[in-house]
Amino acid sequence: MSQNDFLHLMPLLILTFAALLIMLVIAAWRNHKIIYVITAISFVAAFLSLFELRAVTEYTIEPLLVIDGFAVFYMGLMLATALLISMLSYAYFEQQKEQKEEYYILLILATLGACVLVISKHFASLFLGLEVLSVALYALISYLRVRERSDEAGIKYLILAAFSSAFLLFGMALVYFSTGTMTFEGIAAAMSGYRELPMLLLAGFGMMIIGIGFKLSVVPFHMWTPDVYEGAPAPVTAFVATVSKGGVLGLLIRFFMEVDGFRYPTLMLIFTIVAIASMFAGNLLALMQQNVKRILAYSSISHLGYLLVAFLAGSQMGVEAVTFYLVAYFITTVGAFGVIAMLSDNSRDAEQMDDFRGLLWRRPWTATAFTAMLLSLAGIPLTAGFVGKFYVLAAGMNTQKWLLVSMLVLNSVIGLYYYIKIIAVMFQQPDTEKEPAVKLRPSIYIASVGTLAVLTLLLVWVGVYPTALVDMIQGMFAEVPALVAR
């Protein structure tokens, strides 16, 4: 490898070095605060190293990786989100009885796997990044071993993820057999002469869609989502809902843009059905839930359906809309689960409706922040979620995806109900017969409060003044060849 290769891989090298350093420190001395500081510094250093790559047009490390504006933006988004989640995790795990230090190794490795996904241009690097992410998630989800539901969630994710990886590998094998190559550009060249996909190649893509669909938790591959969200620790749930899905979605965008999969009606029909089914199933199932974590789980399924509307637009505007919506979704989701983490104690997470009853009167600032997050998820004006949803609608209408646009509008109205239901519970008068201190944390950690304050400010700022983020996305994507071609 050349010096330039090392420079362009610096964010990944920093994360790898940080994981090794934490293992050595744990072997010598267990200290939660020191391990957390090392983790936070590593995420900050990896994020800052991306500023050296801002001006890069396209740098390839043959045959596996490509670093361009698209990759830099997505890596920056995931590193910043992982930093915020690590801050929430410090406050959350400070009161847990489990050994806490190994958690941060797993968090760093999962982030590393997600970053590898968005710079992959080869099936080998794709599968390597996906497995690094998945294996770390197996342990993260079941990290709190004293909780039965945590073990159950980890086992369910492990079994279903193994099945999805098998489908993905079989699909890759069929695509390789049909095209004779595993690089994205090689597959694109082999497909350039096809008006309709051959049956074997279509079967390969279908199996890959199953594997990717599981990671994105879209219908009909969503069965694991509510149980895993409910059983995992609140910060881990936030990671699964954001960084994990963001890495896979970035990979999906790059692959489809590279091979121009949008010109094949069969693939577009499959994604259209998945998008509509995800929107309806996510929202309708969320209406029947009383557990806040499960509500947010089914909500995430519907939001992936919304994202697929912009993805199916297949244009540069569509990719920009997906990215903007993803930023808004990351802010609101991490903020929502941050509130749950703040209200949790060492025996259970604050996930029942009763845990939020009268929260406005007990913790007005926390309730205000949670209300803002929920309104953003619902797409109410002056929030980041509203602008993101508007951008997605504009991308859909620009390419005349009228069916998808109408389904998005209808489902946004349905989804409003269960978000308002949670807000209404927070605004109720508190139960004077119940001692609130039983279910609330003994103190508010600075990391949690600071993270929640930053996320709330970002939520409002992006909602009121989205131009800065739009310009940043357009500037980073302007020189990406696959996007310019669209």
Side-chain angles (χ1 to χ4, degrees), residues 82 108 138 237 249 262 270 294 373 375 391 431:
I108 290 173
Y138 301 155
T237 309
L249 192 61
F262 302 100
I270 292 172
R294 294 182 77 88
M373 302 299 166
L375 292 177
Y391 210 161
D431 187 354

Side-chain angles (χ1 to χ4, degrees), residues 44 99 161 226 290 305 379:
V44 171
Q99 296 283 8
Q290 294 300 318

Side-chain angles (χ1 to χ4, degrees), residues 43-62:
F43 283 136
V44 171
F47 182 82
L48 293 178
S49 69
L50 292 173
F51 284 88
E52 293 294 324
L53 308 178
R54 285 179 302 171
V56 66
T57 53
E58 183 176 272
Y59 186 87
T60 58
I61 300 175
E62 295 294 349

Side-chain angles (χ1 to χ4, degrees), residues 72 99 105 118 126 137 143-144 152 173 264 287 297 316 336 366 377 426 435 476:
V72 170
Q99 296 283 8
I105 300 175
V118 298
L126 182 162
L137 285 180
Y143 195 82
L144 295 178
E152 178 188 345
Y264 299 106
L287 291 175
Q316 182 168 355
T366 304
L377 287 170
M426 289 193 292
E435 177 60 41
M476 296 294 287

Side-chain angles (χ1 to χ4, degrees), residues 321-339:
V322 169
T323 306
F324 188 99
Y325 194 94
L326 206 60
V327 173
Y329 174 73
F330 275 30
I331 293 171
T332 52
T333 303
V334 174
F337 284 106
V339 171

